[in-house]
Amino acid sequence: MHELSIAVSILEMAEEEAGRQGAARVTAVHLKLGPLSGVVREALLSAYDLARESAPPALTGSELRIEATPLRANCPTCRRVVAIVSVQHQCCADCGTPTPDVVSGNELEVFALEFL
C-alpha cells in the first residue's frame, strides 16, 4: 500500500511547514486528488490515520481533507477544455475525439494547511 508512504510524506511536509511558520499545531491538511493520481482516496485516509498515530504531537490531531479534482482535457477538435466522463474512455463528450492532453485530474497536491 503506497498510500502509507504518501501519508507519511504529507505529515513530514506539514511538520516542516509548521516549523517554518512557527505554528504549534497543524489542525488540517488540504489535498487535491485527481482520478489519474494512482492514489485511492479511502486508502489514503486510512493510511493518514495510521501514520498520524506515530507523528509528532503537533500533528496527531490533524485532519486530512481531500478535494477531488475532475478529469479534464483539451479537445483538439472543439478547441476547449472539456470534462472527461471516464478514465477508461478519455474522449470529448461532445464530439468523441480522443483527448490525451490532460489539464486536470492527475493532482496529488497539498494546497493548504491550517495551523494553531
Side-chain angles (χ1 to χ4, degrees), residues 70-85 91-95 97 99 101-105 107:
L71 180 55
R72 300 174 56 85
N74 284 315
C75 175
T77 303
C78 297
R79 296 181 186 254
R80 61 186 173 88
V81 175
V82 296
I84 304 301
V85 179
C91 295
C92 177
D94 294 334
C95 70
T97 301
T99 53
D101 185 15
V102 173
V103 296
S104 75
E107 295 85 359

Side-chain angles (χ1 to χ4, degrees), residues 2-64:
H2 72 286
E3 282 84 358
L4 184 56
S5 64
I6 293 168
V8 169
S9 294
I10 290 170
L11 286 164
E12 289 172 349
M13 182 278 313
E15 179 184 22
E16 288 176 22
E17 188 60 26
R20 277 195 286 275
Q21 298 295 327
R25 291 185 54 212
V26 176
T27 58
V29 177
H30 296 265
L31 180 81
K32 290 184 181 181
L33 185 64
L36 296 179
S37 67
V39 175
V40 177
R41 175 188 166 89
E42 293 76 18
L44 182 56
L45 288 168
S46 294
Y48 188 86
D49 287 344
L50 181 65
R52 203 176 44 182
E53 291 176 8
S54 60
L59 296 161
T60 56
S62 66
E63 179 183 350
L64 181 61

